[in-house]
Amino acid sequence: MTVASIIGGGVIGGGWAARFLLNGWDVRVFDPDPEAERKIGEVLANARRSLPGLSDAPLPPEGQMTFHADMAEAVQGAAWIQESVPENLGLKHKILAQIQAVCDAGAVIGSSTSGFKPSQLQEGSNAPGQIVVTHPFNPVYLLPLIELVPSPANEAGFVEKAAEVLRSIGCYPLHVRAEIDAHIADRFLEAVWREALWLVKDGIATTEEIDNAIRYGFGIRWAQMGLFETYRVAGGEAGMKHFMAQFGPCLQWPWTKLTDVPEFTDELVDLIAGQSDEQSGAYSIRELERIRDNNLVAMMRALKAQDWGAGAILKGHDARLKAGTELVATAADLTEPRPVLTCARAVPLDWTDYNGHMTESRYLDAFAQSTDRFMELIGCDAAYIAAGGSYFTAETHIRHIDEVHAGARIEVRTQMLQGAGKKLHLFHSMYEGARLLATGESFLLHVDLTTRRSCEPGPQVLEGLALMRAAHGALPYPEGAGAAIRRP
Amino acid sequence: MTVASIIGGGVIGGGWAARFLLNGWDVRVFDPDPEAERKIGEVLANARRSLPGLSDAPLPPEGQMTFHADMAEAVQGAAWIQESVPENLGLKHKILAQIQAVCDAGAVIGSSTSGFKPSQLQEGSNAPGQIVVTHPFNPVYLLPLIELVPSPANEAGFVEKAAEVLRSIGCYPLHVRAEIDAHIADRFLEAVWREALWLVKDGIATTEEIDNAIRYGFGIRWAQMGLFETYRVAGGEAGMKHFMAQFGPCLQWPWTKLTDVPEFTDELVDLIAGQSDEQSGAYSIRELERIRDNNLVAMMRALKAQDWGAGAILKGHDARLKAGTELVATAADLTEPRPVLTCARAVPLDWTDYNGHMTESRYLDAFAQSTDRFMELIGCDAAYIAAGGSYFTAETHIRHIDEVHAGARIEVRTQMLQGAGKKLHLFHSMYEGARLLATGESFLLHVDLTTRRSCEPGPQVLEGLALMRAAHGALPYPEGAGAAIRRP
């Protein structure tokens, strides 16, 4: 088991702890705050309900989390050490020295700093090449972006090793090739924050109006294409140069108050805090966190179905998880006389209703995922489908037997009842542990994707079907199969 | 039929035209560009595949679109006139004068300007109170935000009337209470654009790295909560004041290059256009538009299921559409001896696979929507459910008969086969026009939501069931009902 050390809890450190833990790492926490265990526990509870279901593959089993008052105990043997203490360079230097006095020479020390350059953090260190900036975004357990900022003291191999660890826990390491204060993303956040303060101070807009101006318009655009690709599309057929010719000159206009910094008076703070209370005060911070996580999961999974933006990151991570796991059926299962494990996953937040129960139609989503996996096993895989053959579902029968909540780990086992010629008849059983949640019976026909008509499968699939018939032919006909909703 | 005039086609004018048209308005276009009809046609094609399915209720029938070379012909009798000509104050003054010379005195003249203040547009007009800024965001047919900016010359009643029209076509009018150059949203876009130009020019990051820094991190956050609510959550239990105390001082740091404007040399333009080609050049602009629309629809509908942000706007618009339509069953249907219309909607983009066909599990989504509507009709409505009673699906049988594409208008008609005591047995038939696409048979049990066990319904629902039995009792048992997937 690989070990990550989390130095400094809080929202950011807790988010890192949750991401490592749920991706199968053991996590050791060092934080003098007596409340650290409670605070990290709360972040972890949020992560447990939202992170596993982002994936359509099973995460590895959770690691162990332990809390340590002794730095050596916390970091010795750790492959990754994440520093998330407050933004104070003196404090960071002190903590980094304490870490480096006892940690393994091969460990990566990542700093969550949003403002300092890695070369600043490395000042005075005997092993500066071990320290790098890995700046995350809150909530760390959901958002994939990590700004990975090395200095010239970090070797290329070290940077690639750090990037690989980050990818292995589902992150997107953005290698920032030049050190600057605040890296990349926070420079934008800073520019927007500054402008927003002026708008509120000058009484042009309230905090709520500003949030609406963002989230009902360009915020949704940026969530999928960012700034330049969005403008490329806006420029239309005439292209990016045309867009710049149109938009560029506006830079000269007096459209922003960027040259001044509003004075940070008590009055301005009260104005903004008061407006924020009016806007969001009906919800506690815990409620807002859950609402935010529900929204992020739903949007990121929506993007995943499109294989785009943050959703493409999720999809890549799933492929990695599937390759690394033995939980789901392999070709060997073609010969075993037992139902095949065709789906192992967590129930995602966007599959549940307002009560947190899995929604009716999502049972069919899981069964459809099982059918896809079964098809793959018998040889009807992506290459076969690209060549023009596939199966279409003609008929489905679902029995809802018990309820299940978001975050629960479910498994589907599939028995082939018929698989010959054009016909494929499957019986799926969905479990949470030993508890049967639902059964799904599917009758499919093999089709030619060009004519959209049924036809015999190709030799590869006929062979897969024959193997599966040999394996499942003697299994008892399952209880509930062949049932109809009776006429009263 | 209400009439909207679109003065100036292009991407923005075309987007307005599509939004009005698909929301049932007749649209008259005035644009001297000989390519206007083709360009608007392309925007409209994009809108037709993406906009109707955003809604879970049917849109009204499409209006008529006509093209006019004569200004009087284009604007006389129009209730809304939208000006989207290039950002040149002299040109806008000229066009507004032409419009006002012939338009109705009661018409709203909205300008799509992103930079000019309404009082600037109103200069020299005899009827300044008729002109207002209504600044949209591209794609206009999908993003709900419209900055509605009046000057002191616009009366409150006029502004409210304009807002009501915008809401009626699914927009969110953000009433900007003080005129400033570039309103609100574009001040942020300008700040970010300026900072981005520096980062590219200084070689810190490429256009693609900047887009990734946005869309894998804060972009997704902003799509749902904007800036202030996001920071409120980040501040945690200590609240907004604490957050500001932490983050505020950073404003003094040299984190942005906001005081300078990079010189707009050919070199900078080439650098950015070249990087953009590398990032997105594999796709044509048309392809990028479709990808963008798929993403926006999927994310906005994901937010709609959470009833949050732009999704809450969609939900409100659905309620408005449902109230204004007679397409879906009303209480009168309780007594008619025919299957009840329980669902009328377009197939949304996020219900389709990569080939554009509706995905297996989404048939059940539509049938579940029909079941919900049927429950409502027999008295199991939101208030009844809030009081603790509801129906749970125990069993479902689906027959897939024909395929359907994104954007298609589908209808579901529902026959009650049994409705007595705890039991409810429904048979749904899904059509596109006269073409039968699928049938869905559902067996439900009435439950107590506290104990999660089955029980008799309350008197209100028993009464609804009795009425429906009287209406549907003599209907023939439908073909396909009671079927099972047979044992081979």
Side-chain angles (χ1 to χ4, degrees):
Chain A
M1 189 65 80
T2 331
V3 174
S5 296
I6 301 301
I7 311 301
V11 172
I12 298 298
W16 277 107
R19 201 180 253 283
F20 275 110
L21 200 70
L22 294 179
N23 278 283
W25 289 54
D26 281 340
V27 169
R28 302 194 206 136
V29 179
F30 174 89
D31 190 333
D33 179 357
E35 294 282 287
E37 194 159 347
R38 177 185 67 79
K39 287 181 184 168
I40 289 188
E42 284 173 357
V43 178
L44 189 56
N46 281 347
R48 282 204 182 103
R49 73 187 270 282
S50 57
L51 174 63
L54 263 182
S55 172
D56 293 299
L59 293 183
E62 254 186 60
Q64 293 287 324
M65 183 156 69
T66 50
F67 291 82
H68 304 267
D70 179 69
M71 180 64 88
E73 217 181 275
V75 304
Q76 274 169 11
W80 190 282
I81 300 160
Q82 186 66 31
E83 172 274 304
S84 310
V85 305
E87 288 292 279
N88 173 317
L89 190 57
L91 177 63
K92 288 197 185 268
H93 278 153
K94 195 181 118 198
I95 294 284
L96 288 169
Q98 285 176 19
I99 293 171
Q100 290 201 299
V102 287
C103 77
D104 294 6
V108 174
I109 305 176
S111 171
S112 300
T113 183
S114 55
F116 298 114
K117 294 185 274 202
S119 57
Q120 288 176 289
L121 299 174
Q122 291 163 353
E123 279 162 15
S125 168
N126 291 328
Q130 187 179 24
I131 300 170
V132 70
V133 168
T134 47
H135 174 231
F137 292 78
N138 188 41
V140 181
Y141 50 86
L142 290 182
L143 295 180
L145 182 65
I146 306 289
E147 289 177 322
L148 174 62
V149 197
S151 82
N154 301 110
E155 286 176 13
F158 170 85
V159 176
E160 189 35 51
K161 181 174 78 172
E164 190 43 40
V165 170
L166 292 170
R167 281 190 284 266
S168 78
I169 56 169
C171 294
Y172 178 85
L174 177 65
H175 183 165
V176 181
R177 288 170 289 95
E179 295 187 87
I180 53 169
D181 296 307
H183 328 313
I184 297 173
D186 274 22
R187 293 183 81 96
F188 297 119
L189 294 176
E190 180 68 15
V192 168
W193 175 244
R194 200 185 286 225
E195 189 70 23
L197 292 182
W198 276 117
L199 289 173
V200 173
K201 184 181 161 64
D202 292 349
I204 306 296
T206 63
T207 57
E208 182 167 7
E209 286 163 355
I210 289 170
D211 281 357
N212 288 344
I214 294 172
R215 70 189 186 142
Y216 297 149
F218 67 85
I220 315 177
R221 282 196 314 222
W222 283 1
Q224 39 98 43
M225 284 191 176
L227 179 74
F228 286 100
E229 198 158 68
T230 295
Y231 284 157
R232 183 185 182 91
V233 179
E237 290 157 27
M240 195 71 191
K241 277 202 179 189
H242 169 74
F243 174 79
M244 290 183 71
Q246 272 200 315
F247 199 71
C250 301
L251 288 170
Q252 311 293 345
W253 300 357
W255 274 10
T256 53
K257 272 210 166 176
L258 301 174
T259 48
D260 294 323
V261 177
E263 204 189 333
F264 223 65
T265 58
D266 285 354
E267 211 182 339
L268 179 58
V269 171
D270 284 343
L271 181 64
I272 287 179
Q275 288 184 0
S276 171
D277 283 348
E278 206 161 301
Q279 176 184 356
S280 321
Y283 300 100
S284 71
I285 296 298
R286 283 287 162 273
E287 285 171 320
L288 284 173
E289 279 175 351
R290 285 178 181 224
I291 290 167
R292 177 201 62 192
D293 291 358
N294 290 359
N295 292 340
L296 294 177
V297 167
M299 282 193 300
M300 287 166 71
R301 287 183 43 83
L303 281 179
K304 185 180 184 178
Q306 308 297 328
D307 198 11
W308 196 263
I313 305 281
L314 289 179
K315 213 162 166 168
H317 190 49
D318 275 8
R320 182 186 295 266
L321 285 169
K322 279 175 188 162
T325 181
E326 308 200 2
L327 272 177
V328 173
T330 62
D333 286 292
L334 281 169
T335 53
E336 296 289 328
R338 54 157 200 254
V340 187
L341 182 59
T342 47
C343 173
R345 58 166 303 137
V347 176
L349 282 176
D350 64 326
W351 281 17
T352 58
D353 60 23
Y354 65 101
N355 278 319
H357 293 108
M358 188 156 131
T359 309
E360 187 178 342
S361 64
R362 299 308 189 161
Y363 287 83
L364 185 49
D365 259 325
F367 290 138
Q369 190 180 335
S370 284
T371 297
D372 283 349
R373 177 64 186 138
F374 189 90
M375 283 163 53
E376 207 173 53
L377 279 172
I378 57 168
C380 184
D381 52 18
Y384 183 90
I385 294 171
S390 190
Y391 281 96
F392 282 1
T393 303
E395 210 171 338
T396 305
H397 180 248
I398 300 170
R399 295 182 310 152
H400 294 275
I401 293 160
D402 208 344
E403 298 181 284
V404 65
H405 284 86
R409 294 199 178 211
I410 55 170
E411 288 187 356
V412 178
R413 294 176 186 279
T414 300
Q415 178 175 343
M416 188 176 84
L417 303 182
Q418 182 182 14
K422 309 172 184 179
K423 295 180 182 177
L424 181 60
H425 184 171
L426 303 176
F427 191 81
H428 306 292
S429 302
M430 182 190 295
Y431 296 92
E432 183 194 13
R435 198 161 63 95
L436 181 64
L437 303 172
T439 66
E441 193 174 355
S442 304
F443 181 74
L444 301 103
L445 288 170
H446 186 273
V447 291
D448 177 321
L449 286 173
T450 311
T451 64
R452 317 297 283 182
R453 288 172 185 279
S454 64
C455 67
E456 291 283 313
Q460 167 181 342
V461 169
L462 287 174
E463 192 184 326
L465 288 172
L467 281 169
M468 196 60 85
R469 276 201 305 274
H472 286 197
L475 292 177
Y477 212 68
E479 188 266 317
I485 305 174
R486 269 178 235 291
R487 183 167 185 170
Chain B
M1 190 66 78
T2 331
V3 174
S5 297
I6 302 301
I7 310 303
V11 173
I12 298 298
W16 277 107
R19 202 181 254 282
F20 275 110
L21 200 70
L22 295 178
N23 278 283
W25 289 54
D26 280 341
V27 170
R28 301 195 206 136
V29 180
F30 174 90
D31 189 334
D33 179 357
E35 294 282 288
E37 193 159 348
R38 177 185 67 80
K39 286 181 184 168
I40 290 189
E42 285 174 355
V43 178
L44 189 55
N46 280 348
R48 282 204 182 103
R49 73 187 271 280
S50 58
L51 174 63
L54 264 183
S55 173
D56 293 298
L59 293 183
E62 255 187 56
Q64 294 287 326
M65 184 156 70
T66 50
F67 292 82
H68 304 268
D70 178 70
M71 180 65 86
E73 216 180 273
V75 305
Q76 273 168 11
W80 189 281
I81 300 159
Q82 186 67 30
E83 172 274 304
S84 311
V85 304
E87 288 290 280
N88 172 317
L89 190 55
L91 177 64
K92 285 192 187 272
H93 279 153
K94 195 180 118 200
I95 294 285
L96 288 169
Q98 285 175 18
I99 293 169
Q100 290 201 300
V102 286
C103 77
D104 294 6
V108 173
I109 305 176
S111 170
S112 300
T113 183
S114 56
F116 298 114
K117 293 184 276 201
S119 57
Q120 289 175 288
L121 299 176
Q122 291 162 354
E123 279 162 15
S125 167
N126 291 328
Q130 186 179 23
I131 300 169
V132 70
V133 168
T134 48
H135 174 231
F137 293 79
N138 186 43
V140 181
Y141 50 85
L142 290 181
L143 295 180
L145 182 65
I146 306 290
E147 290 177 321
L148 174 62
V149 198
S151 82
N154 300 109
E155 284 175 16
F158 169 86
V159 177
E160 186 37 49
K161 182 175 79 173
E164 190 44 39
V165 170
L166 292 170
R167 281 189 285 265
S168 79
I169 56 169
C171 295
Y172 178 84
L174 178 65
H175 182 163
V176 182
R177 286 171 290 95
E179 296 187 85
I180 53 170
D181 296 305
H183 327 312
I184 297 173
D186 274 22
R187 294 183 79 97
F188 296 119
L189 293 176
E190 180 67 16
V192 167
W193 175 244
R194 198 183 287 226
E195 188 71 24
L197 292 181
W198 275 118
L199 289 173
V200 174
K201 184 180 161 66
D202 292 350
I204 306 295
T206 63
T207 58
E208 182 167 9
E209 287 163 353
I210 289 170
D211 280 357
N212 288 343
I214 294 172
R215 69 190 187 142
Y216 297 150
F218 67 84
I220 314 176
R221 283 197 312 222
W222 283 0
Q224 39 99 43
M225 283 191 175
L227 180 72
F228 286 100
E229 198 158 70
T230 294
Y231 284 158
R232 183 185 181 92
V233 178
E237 289 157 28
M240 195 70 191
K241 278 203 178 191
H242 169 74
F243 173 80
M244 291 183 69
Q246 271 199 316
F247 199 71
C250 301
L251 288 170
Q252 310 294 347
W253 300 357
W255 276 8
T256 54
K257 273 212 169 174
L258 302 175
T259 48
D260 293 324
V261 177
E263 205 190 333
F264 223 65
T265 59
D266 285 352
E267 210 183 340
L268 179 59
V269 171
D270 284 342
L271 181 64
I272 288 179
Q275 288 184 0
S276 172
D277 283 348
E278 203 159 304
Q279 175 184 358
S280 320
Y283 300 100
S284 72
I285 296 298
R286 284 286 162 272
E287 285 172 320
L288 284 174
E289 280 175 350
R290 285 179 181 223
I291 289 166
R292 177 201 61 191
D293 290 358
N294 289 359
N295 292 340
L296 293 178
V297 167
M299 281 193 300
M300 287 166 72
R301 287 184 42 84
L303 281 180
K304 185 179 184 178
Q306 307 298 326
D307 197 12
W308 196 263
I313 305 281
L314 290 179
K315 212 162 168 167
H317 190 48
D318 276 6
R320 181 185 298 265
L321 285 169
K322 278 175 190 163
T325 181
E326 307 201 2
L327 273 176
V328 173
T330 61
D333 286 292
L334 281 169
T335 53
E336 296 289 328
R338 56 159 198 253
V340 187
L341 182 59
T342 46
C343 174
R345 58 165 305 137
V347 176
L349 283 175
D350 64 327
W351 281 17
T352 58
D353 60 23
Y354 65 100
N355 278 319
H357 294 107
M358 186 156 132
T359 310
E360 186 178 343
S361 65
R362 300 307 190 161
Y363 287 83
L364 186 48
D365 258 325
F367 290 138
Q369 189 179 336
S370 285
T371 297
D372 283 349
R373 177 63 186 140
F374 189 90
M375 282 163 53
E376 208 173 53
L377 279 172
I378 57 168
C380 184
D381 52 17
Y384 183 90
I385 293 170
S390 190
Y391 281 95
F392 282 1
T393 304
E395 211 170 336
T396 304
H397 181 248
I398 300 170
R399 295 182 311 152
H400 294 275
I401 294 162
D402 208 345
E403 298 182 283
V404 66
H405 284 86
R409 293 200 179 210
I410 55 170
E411 289 188 353
V412 178
R413 296 177 185 278
T414 301
Q415 178 175 344
M416 188 175 84
L417 304 182
Q418 183 182 14
K422 309 171 183 179
K423 295 180 181 176
L424 181 60
H425 184 173
L426 302 177
F427 190 81
H428 306 293
S429 302
M430 182 190 295
Y431 296 91
E432 184 194 13
R435 199 162 63 94
L436 181 64
L437 302 173
T439 66
E441 192 174 357
S442 304
F443 181 74
L444 301 103
L445 288 170
H446 186 274
V447 291
D448 176 322
L449 286 172
T450 311
T451 64
R452 318 295 286 181
R453 288 172 184 280
S454 64
C455 67
E456 291 282 314
Q460 166 181 342
V461 170
L462 288 174
E463 193 184 325
L465 289 172
L467 281 169
M468 196 59 86
R469 276 200 307 274
H472 285 198
L475 291 175
Y477 211 69
E479 189 267 316
I485 304 174
R486 270 179 236 289
R487 185 167 184 170

